[in-house]
Amino acid sequence: MDFPVEFPVRREIHRLGSGLAASYDKLRRFDLADQAYAQAIRLGGETVQILNDQGYSYMLRGNLNAARRKFEKAYSLDPGNPVIANNLELLNGSRRFIERPPNNQP
Protein backbone atom coordinates (compact mmCIF):
# COMPACT_ATOMS: atom_id res chain seq x y z
CA MET A 1 0.00 0.00 0.00
CA ASP A 2 1.23 3.44 -0.80
CA PHE A 3 -0.41 6.11 1.32
CA PRO A 4 0.02 9.76 0.46
CA VAL A 5 2.59 11.01 2.93
CA GLU A 6 4.04 14.47 3.08
CA PHE A 7 7.62 14.68 1.83
CA PRO A 8 9.45 15.18 5.19
CA VAL A 9 7.67 12.18 6.67
CA ARG A 10 8.37 10.06 3.59
CA ARG A 11 12.05 11.07 3.71
CA GLU A 12 12.28 10.02 7.37
CA ILE A 13 10.60 6.67 6.65
CA HIS A 14 13.08 6.20 3.79
CA ARG A 15 16.01 6.92 6.12
CA LEU A 16 14.70 4.50 8.74
CA GLY A 17 14.17 1.79 6.12
CA SER A 18 17.74 2.18 4.98
CA GLY A 19 18.96 1.92 8.56
CA LEU A 20 16.85 -1.17 9.15
CA ALA A 21 18.31 -2.81 6.04
CA ALA A 22 21.86 -2.05 7.21
CA SER A 23 21.02 -3.55 10.61
CA TYR A 24 19.82 -6.72 8.94
CA ASP A 25 23.09 -6.81 6.97
CA LYS A 26 25.04 -6.74 10.24
CA LEU A 27 22.95 -9.67 11.47
CA ARG A 28 23.62 -11.46 8.16
CA ARG A 29 19.87 -11.60 7.51
CA PHE A 30 20.29 -10.68 3.89
CA ASP A 31 16.79 -11.84 2.98
CA LEU A 32 15.31 -9.26 5.34
CA ALA A 33 17.87 -6.65 4.27
CA ASP A 34 16.77 -7.03 0.65
CA GLN A 35 13.15 -6.52 1.67
CA ALA A 36 14.01 -3.40 3.67
CA TYR A 37 16.10 -1.95 0.82
CA ALA A 38 13.24 -2.58 -1.62
CA GLN A 39 10.78 -0.84 0.69
CA ALA A 40 13.11 2.14 1.21
CA ILE A 41 13.60 2.47 -2.55
CA ARG A 42 9.85 2.30 -3.11
CA LEU A 43 9.34 5.12 -0.61
CA GLY A 44 12.21 7.41 -1.52
CA GLY A 45 13.92 6.20 -4.64
CA GLU A 46 17.37 4.83 -5.25
CA THR A 47 19.49 7.37 -3.38
CA VAL A 48 23.27 7.49 -3.14
CA GLN A 49 23.01 6.21 0.44
CA ILE A 50 20.83 3.27 -0.55
CA LEU A 51 23.07 2.37 -3.49
CA ASN A 52 26.17 2.50 -1.29
CA ASP A 53 24.54 0.45 1.45
CA GLN A 54 23.30 -2.13 -1.04
CA GLY A 55 26.79 -2.33 -2.50
CA TYR A 56 28.22 -2.99 0.93
CA SER A 57 25.53 -5.61 1.55
CA TYR A 58 26.48 -7.42 -1.64
CA MET A 59 30.16 -7.19 -0.71
CA LEU A 60 29.42 -8.82 2.66
CA ARG A 61 27.70 -11.67 0.81
CA GLY A 62 30.64 -12.14 -1.52
CA ASN A 63 28.68 -10.99 -4.57
CA LEU A 64 31.43 -8.67 -5.72
CA ASN A 65 30.03 -8.02 -9.21
CA ALA A 66 26.70 -6.78 -7.81
CA ALA A 67 28.59 -4.75 -5.20
CA ARG A 68 30.65 -3.05 -7.91
CA ARG A 69 27.54 -2.16 -9.94
CA LYS A 70 25.89 -0.52 -6.90
CA PHE A 71 29.05 1.33 -5.83
CA GLU A 72 29.72 2.58 -9.35
CA LYS A 73 26.15 3.83 -9.72
CA ALA A 74 26.41 5.62 -6.37
CA TYR A 75 29.79 7.07 -7.37
CA SER A 76 28.38 8.34 -10.67
CA LEU A 77 25.77 10.28 -8.70
CA ASP A 78 28.22 11.59 -6.08
CA PRO A 79 31.84 11.31 -7.29
CA GLY A 80 33.18 13.35 -4.39
CA ASN A 81 31.76 11.05 -1.72
CA PRO A 82 34.71 9.63 0.26
CA VAL A 83 32.68 6.74 1.72
CA ILE A 84 31.84 5.42 -1.73
CA ALA A 85 35.44 5.88 -2.89
CA ASN A 86 36.67 3.96 0.17
CA ASN A 87 34.17 1.18 -0.45
CA LEU A 88 35.36 0.88 -4.05
CA GLU A 89 38.95 0.60 -2.76
CA LEU A 90 37.86 -2.03 -0.25
CA LEU A 91 36.11 -3.90 -3.04
CA ASN A 92 39.24 -3.78 -5.17
CA GLY A 93 41.19 -5.25 -2.26
CA SER A 94 38.55 -7.96 -1.86
CA ARG A 95 38.93 -8.95 -5.49
CA ARG A 96 42.69 -9.31 -5.13
CA PHE A 97 43.02 -11.00 -1.76
CA ILE A 98 39.82 -12.74 -0.73
CA GLU A 99 38.75 -16.07 -2.12
CA ARG A 100 35.01 -16.58 -2.16
CA PRO A 101 33.16 -19.90 -2.15
CA PRO A 102 31.56 -20.75 -5.49
CA ASN A 103 28.01 -20.06 -4.30
CA ASN A 104 28.91 -16.50 -3.13
CA GLN A 105 28.08 -17.28 0.48
CA PRO A 106 30.28 -15.66 3.13
Side-chain angles (χ1 to χ4, degrees), residues 1-18 38-45 47 50:
M1 286 183 174
D2 191 19
F3 298 102
V5 179
E6 291 188 30
F7 182 71
V9 174
R10 185 176 287 271
R11 186 175 50 219
E12 183 64 13
I13 292 170
H14 179 260
R15 187 185 65 77
L16 292 172
S18 176
Q39 180 72 3
I41 290 167
R42 190 175 70 75
L43 290 171
T47 64
I50 292 283

Side-chain angles (χ1 to χ4, degrees), residues 4-78:
V5 179
E6 291 188 30
F7 182 71
V9 174
R10 185 176 287 271
R11 186 175 50 219
E12 183 64 13
I13 292 170
H14 179 260
R15 187 185 65 77
L16 292 172
S18 176
L20 178 63
S23 295
Y24 283 137
D25 283 334
K26 288 180 183 179
L27 295 172
R28 306 188 78 69
R29 288 299 311 269
F30 300 121
D31 56 328
L32 296 174
D34 287 342
Q35 290 175 28
Y37 285 125
Q39 180 72 3
I41 290 167
R42 190 175 70 75
L43 290 171
E46 214 174 31
T47 64
V48 169
Q49 181 69 47
I50 292 283
L51 289 165
N52 182 67
D53 290 351
Q54 281 184 307
Y56 200 83
S57 178
Y58 285 127
M59 192 165 56
L60 289 174
R61 303 173 205 200
N63 188 339
L64 304 182
N65 290 327
R68 179 168 300 285
R69 284 191 301 273
K70 294 293 182 176
F71 288 146
E72 286 178 349
K73 189 170 182 181
Y75 189 78
S76 73
L77 297 172
D78 188 3

